[in-house]
Structure formats: structure tokens, C-alpha cells
Amino acid sequence: MDTQHYLQAAERLCAANGGKLTELRRQVLELVLGYPGVVKAYQVLADLQRDRGAAAPPTVYRALDYLAQYGMLHRVDALNGYIVCHHFECSHQALILACEQCGGVEELDADATFQSLSQTTARAGFVPRAQSLVLTGSCKHCQP
Amino acid sequence: MDTQHYLQAAERLCAANGGKLTELRRQVLELVLGYPGVVKAYQVLADLQRDRGAAAPPTVYRALDYLAQYGMLHRVDALNGYIVCHHFECSHQALILACEQCGGVEELDADATFQSLSQTTARAGFVPRAQSLVLTGSCKHCQP
DNA sequence: CAGGTAATGTTATACAGTAACATCCGCGAT
DNA sequence: ATCGCGGATGTTACTGTATAACATTACCTG
Ligand SMILES: [Zn+2]
Ligand SMILES: [Zn+2]
Ligand SMILES: [Zn+2]
Ligand SMILES: [Zn+2]
């Protein structure tokens, strides 16, 4: 899916949730798309400042939060960063592998794992918030 | 396992790794033990300052890092916090459920899940760093 | 146009984590 | 005993991450 189609799909997703892919949000989404892996909020902030002059932290955090809320981005807690989700249209349960060395990201289907997970948490009466699961480690190119 | 036995086991674990459960580390470990769920570094710092006078961030982060490195604590990235591990003696693969509402924590055995996980990541040539997996969500007492 | 709602701008501050260097302490070798 | 070493802690100062609170703007609707 190229960038144009991706952004159109993002627009549809926003509309389906009663919102809009505003200029700012589109700009932030494009910036994150421009990175191969994990991006940090303050990196996006710096890019924004370069591209459009003034910008402050709340501006970028609000856009990132919105995009993550509806699944266009995933937050990677372990790295204080964000990654683009390329599968938000097919409602998926994604297993995300984020490499700590190179910042690269891979997103897998892992239905069996999630099924096993949800059985286990249900037994404890626990409802996980995130529908995606992020593991950090070393990718195949960065093995020690 | 009561606190006394727990601390003795922690001492053994440190010794087995060529280190020591120093006074500071023991004090930090006891402080974290005193909380029912997730504790944040700056909370421990405040407690330390109350108990022993001066203390600065590096003091508490060094102790927390050490304790987490050998498994006495687990770090919970999603909450910028730490929890006590009550099973560090049996080398375990723990699934940790952290409630975002009440801060409560539950640690389960989830061998089936981890087996499924490791098969999936191995297929991608990916080696996860953490041997424990933390999910955030709502515990059975805090369902919406 | 008036009034409401969502989005963005702005300022200031809170919270989290680390670098760099100084000091201290326990222990083995001379 | 004391010198020197390495691990642990103290101290200062800083960088990075995130949010509160309030002002302003854009846009839709009646
Ligand atoms: Zn995804
Ligand atoms: Zn890598
Ligand atoms: Zn554990
Ligand atoms: Zn709860």
C-alpha cells in the first residue's frame, strides 16, 4: 500500500470513528511514515518545527495519541516511541517485534498466541487494554 | 513467603551472581515489597529520602536496575514502574497482568502462551530480550 | 450572525532517566 | 600496615518525556 492509498484509508478510519484526519494529523502521520521503524515524539516535534515553524510538545502528543487511539499508530512503551500500523483496516491482533539495536519493526499475525493469551487472562478475570502486543529484542540482523 | 525469607532468598540470588544485597539494595527492595502493586522510581526515592535523609535519582535507579537485572523486580514499561517478583527462585516465564486503574499486579504461569510466542518469534529470527511479559488492562475488580 | 464543539496554540511545569565525576569502602597483594 | 584496585554510593547537573491549564481559532449548525 503506497502512501497515497494509506492516507486515504486513514481518512476513512477517522471518519468511521466520527473524527477527521486534520492537516496536523496527516502531517504527523506522514512524518512517522517516513521513518523505517520506531519514532519518538520529540523527533516528530523537531520535524514539525522544521516543516511548519513553531510547534510545542502538546501539539505532537495530541496528534500521536489520536492516531494511536484508532490504530494508525502503535505506541511502543519499552522504547517511548511510535510505529506505523500497516494493517489497521483488517481488524487484527498484531504481534509487534521491535529491535532495540536498529529500531527496526516487524508486525506479525499471531492468532494462536493471542488465543492462548486471552484464555489465560480470562481465567484471571483480567481484560487487557491493548489489542496489540509489543516485544523488544534483537532482530535477525542484529543478533549478538 | 514472608519478608524475612524473601530477603534471604534475595541475598542468595545476589551471591549466586557474584554480587551482594547491600544495605541500600535491601532497603529499596523492602520499600518496593511494601507496596501491593506497581511502584515508581520517584516514589521509592521519596521513601528513601524520608527514611535515610539525602538521596538522589541515580541512587534509586541504580538499585532498581540491579534488582531488576537479576529478577527480584520486574520493570513495567507501560507504567514506568517496578513490581516485586515473588518467583525468582523457580526460573520462570511469567505473564504479568498490571491493572491500570488500581495499580494491582498479578503474576501467572503461562507456559503455553510463551511456547506459542517463542515459536512465532523464532520464525521471524527474532530473539526477545525480556523473559517476562507485561500486559496492562483492567483487573477483575476494576472492570468498566 | 450567535452559540457550541472540536482542534490547535501557548506557557509553564511535572515526571522520568542519565552522564560525569568524586568519594568511600572492603579486600587481597606486596 | 598500606597500597592499590574494583565495586558501590554520593553529588551535581543535565537531557528527555509527558501533561496541566488556559487562550485562541476553525467550523458547523440553528
Ligand atoms: Zn498494527
Ligand atoms: Zn535490528
Ligand atoms: Zn516474576
Ligand atoms: Zn484493578
Side-chain angles (χ1 to χ4, degrees):
Chain A
M1 181 157 56
D2 68 17
T3 301
Q4 285 315 309
H5 289 112
Y6 184 88
L7 291 174
Q8 285 168 16
E11 270 182 43
R12 287 194 298 274
L13 179 59
C14 293
N17 287 287
K20 280 185 301 193
L21 186 66
T22 63
E23 181 59 23
L24 173 66
R25 289 167 184 165
R26 195 185 54 73
Q27 203 171 353
V28 167
L29 186 51
E30 285 185 291
L31 286 169
V32 181
L33 273 168
Y35 287 88
V38 177
V39 199
K40 304 195 147 206
Y42 273 65
Q43 181 60 58
V44 176
L45 178 58
D47 294 349
L48 261 190
Q49 288 169 337
R50 168 173 47 71
D51 290 356
R52 56 147 55 189
T59 299
V60 64
Y61 276 105
R62 282 193 285 236
L64 290 170
D65 287 350
Y66 181 88
L67 296 169
Q69 177 182 357
Y70 295 115
M72 287 159 279
L73 302 181
H74 295 297
R75 173 160 171 86
V76 185
D77 286 316
L79 305 175
N80 294 327
Y82 300 82
I83 59 175
V84 174
C85 176
H86 291 277
H87 316 84
F88 60 76
E89 288 197 295
C90 46
S91 110
H92 68 313
Q93 295 234 292
L95 177 64
I96 296 165
L97 307 179
C99 177
E100 292 176 304
Q101 276 75 53
C102 67
V105 166
E106 191 170 1
E107 195 167 347
L108 306 178
D109 277 327
D111 285 340
T113 301
F114 277 98
Q115 205 160 351
S116 164
L117 249 188
S118 66
Q119 280 178 10
T120 306
T121 64
R123 237 175 280 133
F126 188 91
V127 178
R129 173 179 52 108
Q131 61 283 58
S132 61
L133 185 58
V134 182
L135 294 186
T136 57
S138 302
C139 78
K140 64 185 159 202
H141 306 299
C142 299
Q143 296 298 326
Chain B
M1 182 158 53
D2 68 17
T3 300
Q4 284 316 309
H5 289 111
Y6 183 89
L7 291 174
Q8 284 168 15
E11 271 182 44
R12 286 194 298 274
L13 179 59
C14 292
N17 287 289
K20 280 187 298 192
L21 185 65
T22 62
E23 180 60 23
L24 172 67
R25 289 167 185 164
R26 195 184 54 73
Q27 202 171 354
V28 167
L29 186 51
E30 283 185 292
L31 285 170
V32 181
L33 273 168
Y35 288 89
V38 178
V39 198
K40 304 192 150 208
Y42 273 65
Q43 181 61 59
V44 175
L45 177 58
D47 293 350
L48 261 189
Q49 289 169 337
R50 168 172 48 71
D51 289 357
R52 56 145 57 190
T59 299
V60 64
Y61 276 105
R62 283 193 284 235
L64 290 170
D65 287 349
Y66 181 88
L67 295 169
Q69 177 181 356
Y70 294 115
M72 286 159 279
L73 303 181
H74 295 298
R75 172 160 173 87
V76 185
D77 286 318
L79 306 175
N80 295 328
Y82 299 82
I83 60 176
V84 174
C85 176
H86 291 278
H87 317 82
F88 59 76
E89 287 197 295
C90 46
S91 109
H92 68 313
Q93 294 235 293
L95 177 64
I96 295 166
L97 307 179
C99 178
E100 292 175 304
Q101 276 75 51
C102 67
V105 165
E106 191 169 0
E107 196 167 344
L108 307 177
D109 277 327
D111 286 340
T113 302
F114 278 98
Q115 204 160 353
S116 166
L117 250 188
S118 67
Q119 281 178 10
T120 306
T121 64
R123 236 175 280 133
F126 188 91
V127 178
R129 173 179 53 107
Q131 58 283 61
S132 62
L133 186 57
V134 182
L135 294 186
T136 56
S138 302
C139 77
K140 63 184 161 204
H141 307 299
C142 300
Q143 297 298 327

